[in-house]
Amino acid sequence: MKTSRAIRLLPVLAALLSAEYTPSPANLEARRWFQEARFGLFIHWGVYSVLGDGEWVMNNRKISIAEYEKLLPQFNPVKFDAAEWVRLAKDAGMRYITITSKHHDGFAMWDSRVSTWDIADRTPYKKDILKMLADECHKQGVKLFFYHSHLDWHHPDYYPRGRTGHNTGRPEAGDWYRYLDYMDAQIRELLTGYGPIAGIWFDGWWDRPKADWRLRQTYDLIHSLQPAALIGNNHHQPPFEGEDFQMFEKDLPGQNTAGFNAEAKIGALPLETCETINRAWGYNQSDHQYKSTRDLIHYLVRAAGHNANFLLNVGPRPDGAIQPEFVQRLRDMGVWLRANGESIYGTTQGPIPPRDWGVTTRKGNRVYVHVLKLEDDVLGLPKLPSKVARATRLNGGPVAFTENNLGILLQLPLAARDAHDTIVALDLQ
Ligand code: FHN
């Protein structure tokens, strides 16, 4: 009797789950906060850091689970200092941190109750990294997101397999829905044991784009546990129902230089773009191709000019230290933001779309013109919604300009340009 009633209720349940998603007031408020925050720290960290060859090392080197598990005794991050990491993010001017709770190797960076494939159960370190980081974030007023991989190279029930993870030595069998139950159980742990969580940043859907991921059930679970938690999914597609923000990997919204975003049309949700400092997400000891502070500032500014946040990545070492090349760049960005943050935080994309010379951002009646690349002494701008009352250098004196019915001409002598970004604030009438 009970079973037949459950079967009759299934279509009702399915209809509920496919119903249009209405974000709660707390969620809408969180989206507003997110859009104003503009800058966050991405952290890719897990047992893979031991090999110093990026977070894909298990797949790339065709390492079996048995061999990969031998890395565990070496993962002992005694130099990890949550307070120092959060302080570093704050000093860099970042308003949130997004850390890998679980990457594609399936390894949990917290003390999971539904698995022993985690830092607390299997490493000499034994401590719950996420707990320490969450406590510190709450203490220092920095919001915390968890990056969570749908894709799993370790779990036996991740079957049928997708594009990756074919050489880990798992039997060619498994129960897909049992895997999804496991994933939801872990998500439940993350949203019930770590205080307020700003959101979940999913990745790995693309490994099995045709699979039934039961996404809506997972999304509804998250929103029922923490209505304000923002869900984003790096599936490289336009946003799915139930998501709260849209991310672009290694590209500004609308661009596709890295090849991930061919189908990622810009939707109506808050936007974010993520990028690395060298070329690796997880710690890579031989990758020394660091972007300059100037390049990173330009990326942040261009992201703001595209109405997007910038999530800048570090891959900490296996001992828990963040390498000095990363630390230095983050600190330098913080110095720049302390002087120029007014033109980034709390702004929206400005009235002039992104250009080769730079971008515009806007707050109320003030338009910030970010001149990043200009060979001439003058910059011509199209007409703005209202006349310009005043033009000033941010943190500086007046800027000479002329305005007629065609547009505005700003005088920007090369000798007086800023090393990174010459910012002109235009106050509109
Ligand atoms: O495969 C991952 C990769 O390791 C990394 O986490 C990045 C971050 O955006 N996303 C995936 C590739 O799309």
Side-chain angles (χ1 to χ4, degrees), residues 44 55-56 103-104 147 201 203 206 234 236 249 274 281:
H44 274 71
E55 75 290 354
W56 271 69
H103 204 266
H104 308 332
Y147 165 114
W201 204 106
D203 204 350
W206 39 261
N234 192 30
H236 313 307
E249 179 171 343
C274 57
W281 297 103

Side-chain angles (χ1 to χ4, degrees), residues 2-16:
K2 265 189 184 157
T3 322
S4 66
R5 185 164 352 121
I7 287 169
R8 265 186 283 122
L9 282 174
L10 274 178
V12 181
L13 195 65
L16 275 177

Side-chain angles (χ1 to χ4, degrees), residues 58-59 64-65 104-105 151-159 161-162 164-173 179 207:
M58 184 184 193
N59 183 78
S64 69
I65 287 172
H104 308 332
D105 64 359
L151 162 60
D152 197 308
W153 296 328
H154 187 275
H155 200 285
D157 283 321
Y158 189 92
Y159 188 86
R161 309 259 190 268
T164 64
H166 289 271
N167 301 291
T168 63
R170 286 175 286 186
E172 289 304 312
Y179 171 69
D207 188 59

Side-chain angles (χ1 to χ4, degrees), residues 36 47 55 99 151 202 217-218 231 243 273-274 284 323:
E36 294 192 353
V47 69
E55 75 290 354
I99 186 170
L151 162 60
F202 283 110
Q217 188 171 320
T218 304
I231 298 175
E243 294 172 4
T273 172
C274 57
N284 187 317
Q323 62 190 85

